[in-house]
């Protein structure tokens, strides 16, 4: 796992109480699959923003909502964050 993947897994473990290493799908898990509700997603996004020093908009987070069609995974959230970091550094 990369440093960012380890950090994301630690954030999920700390804020949602879920060990992604114990999940068969790891970072490919959706937030819905681990029982996250809308409030959990807001709390997680704030922790992700703080750790990775990025800003996530409501539009960024819509695909991660429990009721979203074609719901995105935690790996997708990390890719979004890494994209934002790359855009701010470039």
């Amino acid at each position: 796992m990369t440093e960012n993947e380890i950090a994301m897994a630690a954030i999920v473990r700390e804020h949602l109480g879920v060990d992604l290493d114990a999940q068969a799908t790891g970072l490919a898990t959706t937030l819905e699959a681990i029982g996250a509700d809308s409030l959990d997603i807001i709390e997680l996004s704030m922790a992700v923003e703080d750790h990775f020093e990025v800003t996530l908009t409501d539009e960024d987070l819509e695909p991660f909502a429990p009721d979203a069609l074609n719901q995105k995974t935690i790996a997708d959230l990390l890719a979004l964050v890494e994209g934002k970091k790359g855009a701010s550094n470039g």
Side-chain angles (χ1 to χ4, degrees):
M1 285 176 75
T2 69
E3 185 177 317
N4 285 345
E5 289 171 338
I6 292 168
M8 182 66 78
I11 291 167
V12 169
R13 184 173 39 258
E14 180 179 339
H15 291 275
L16 301 180
V18 175
D19 183 0
L20 292 177
D21 294 334
Q23 301 289 316
T25 53
L27 289 173
T29 302
T30 64
L31 292 170
E32 181 181 44
I34 57 176
D37 61 20
S38 297
L39 181 58
D40 292 327
I41 293 170
I42 291 168
E43 291 175 0
L44 180 67
S45 69
M46 292 185 336
V48 167
E49 287 177 325
D50 287 345
H51 180 85
F52 291 103
E53 299 178 343
V54 297
T55 300
L56 300 173
T57 66
D58 290 343
E59 291 78 27
D60 290 334
L61 296 173
E62 282 178 15
F64 300 94
D67 59 350
L69 293 174
N70 301 313
Q71 190 183 55
K72 301 291 185 183
T73 66
I74 296 168
D76 294 323
L77 178 58
L78 179 57
L80 171 67
V81 167
E82 289 175 335
K84 286 184 170 278
K85 281 193 71 77
S88 68
N89 291 334

